[in-house]
Amino acid sequence: DQQVKQNSPSLSVQEGRISILNCDYTNSMFDYFLWYKKYPAEGPTFLISISSIKDKNEDGRFTVFLNKSAKHLSLHIVPSQPGDSAVYFCAATRHSNAGNMLTFGGGTRLMVKP
Amino acid sequence: DAGITQSPRHKVTETGTPVTLRCHQTENHRYMYWYRQDPGHGLRLIHYSYGVKDTDKGEVSDGYSVSRSKTEDFLLTLESATSSQTSVYFCAIRTDGSGNTIYFGEGSWLTVV
């Protein structure tokens, strides 16, 4: 039973347009969410996060939106650039979790076409 | 750069043999993690450690053991490798003050034939 799901395995976007990556979760105890970006043959790198006390967090071209009632979060990239082509993982955790174990979705491969 | 070094980076081994992957950190962080990445499954936690000799199981711990005899090293052992353990293995750390964010190493590609 996957507690964090990314239902789109891939997404193709034109350079300069908006990329929207989606993530759904089922565990209502999750209260902190993160996005990681992964290039081939490299480890995942942290991108942006959001606490459940917020519904939006922005960092440059990246914005994460959280809809707690729908148990849904999304990552917006505006404008998309070819260098954004990578696999994006969303992750969730409970802030009170002493071990801080993250539960990850299956990933979405983003391709930004020049 | 989170100061994490994984070794070996690539390994091919035969079914039934033991394999040990090493994760080394240079900054004495308390929490260390081993994840595996497989297509369609994202990253799944195998084991984690919250201090020297303090470890606990993750979601997919069967067939794996870990040890942490020093703060800087976290070892993952496949006791008897199987083809289902062919995967990419990532070590991660949580840095002091990073809150809930963890940082990953470069990965170890393991093929069991």
Side-chain angles (χ1 to χ4, degrees):
Chain A
D1 177 32
Q2 280 192 299
Q3 298 185 66
V4 179
K5 290 185 181 179
Q6 295 175 254
N7 291 316
S8 298
S10 65
L11 174 68
S12 183
V13 170
Q14 204 67 34
E15 180 180 5
R17 306 295 291 268
I18 184 171
S19 295
I20 301 176
L21 295 94
N22 294 303
C23 179
D24 298 296
Y25 62 96
T26 57
N27 189 339
S28 57
M29 300 298 290
F30 289 145
D31 57 10
Y32 198 84
F33 305 88
L34 308 91
W35 284 94
Y36 283 80
K37 174 180 178 179
K38 186 184 178 305
Y39 292 120
E42 295 183 9
T45 55
F46 169 70
L47 197 55
I48 192 169
S49 62
I50 188 167
S51 165
S52 61
I53 61 174
K54 297 184 176 181
D55 54 20
K56 176 182 173 182
N57 188 26
E58 193 171 349
D59 184 1
R61 296 185 297 115
F62 302 91
T63 303
V64 56
F65 295 92
L66 176 63
N67 182 333
K68 291 185 289 293
S69 61
K71 294 191 179 67
H72 177 83
L73 62 154
S74 60
L75 175 68
H76 292 212
I77 306 173
V78 183
S80 301
Q81 300 173 354
D84 296 329
S85 297
V87 177
Y88 289 79
F89 294 100
C90 67
T93 188
R94 289 168 52 185
H95 184 73
S96 61
N97 183 335
N100 190 46
M101 287 82 77
L102 300 185
T103 300
F104 285 83
T108 297
R109 181 178 303 279
L110 174 65
M111 293 163 283
V112 180
K113 294 186 276 189
Chain B
D1 182 3
I4 304 172
T5 304
Q6 290 186 228
S7 59
R9 294 292 314 281
H10 297 88
K11 186 173 181 65
V12 180
T13 192
E14 292 185 350
T15 299
T17 60
V19 176
T20 295
L21 305 180
R22 179 183 183 236
C23 179
H24 178 79
Q25 59 147 327
T26 58
E27 298 177 4
N28 293 321
H29 298 298
R30 182 181 172 195
Y31 286 91
M32 299 183 75
Y33 309 83
W34 276 108
Y35 281 86
R36 60 178 287 177
Q37 184 203 355
D38 304 289
H41 291 279
L43 295 123
R44 293 179 293 175
L45 180 67
I46 305 171
H47 282 277
Y48 71 100
S49 170
Y50 46 97
V52 173
K53 293 187 169 54
D54 291 323
T55 65
D56 207 347
K57 295 179 180 180
E59 178 188 356
V60 289
S61 59
D62 287 349
Y64 301 95
S65 62
V66 289
S67 66
R68 192 160 177 207
S69 58
K70 298 185 289 185
T71 301
E72 58 265 36
D73 288 326
F74 191 30
L75 304 180
L76 177 71
T77 297
L78 287 66
E79 292 137 10
S80 177
T82 67
S83 58
S84 64
Q85 294 176 310
T86 293
S87 186
V88 186
Y89 292 86
F90 290 100
C91 176
I93 60 170
R94 176 156 68 104
T95 62
D96 298 333
S98 70
N100 293 283
T101 305
I102 65 173
Y103 297 90
F104 287 89
E106 297 280 293
S108 293
W109 273 254
L110 177 68
T111 302
V112 183
V113 298

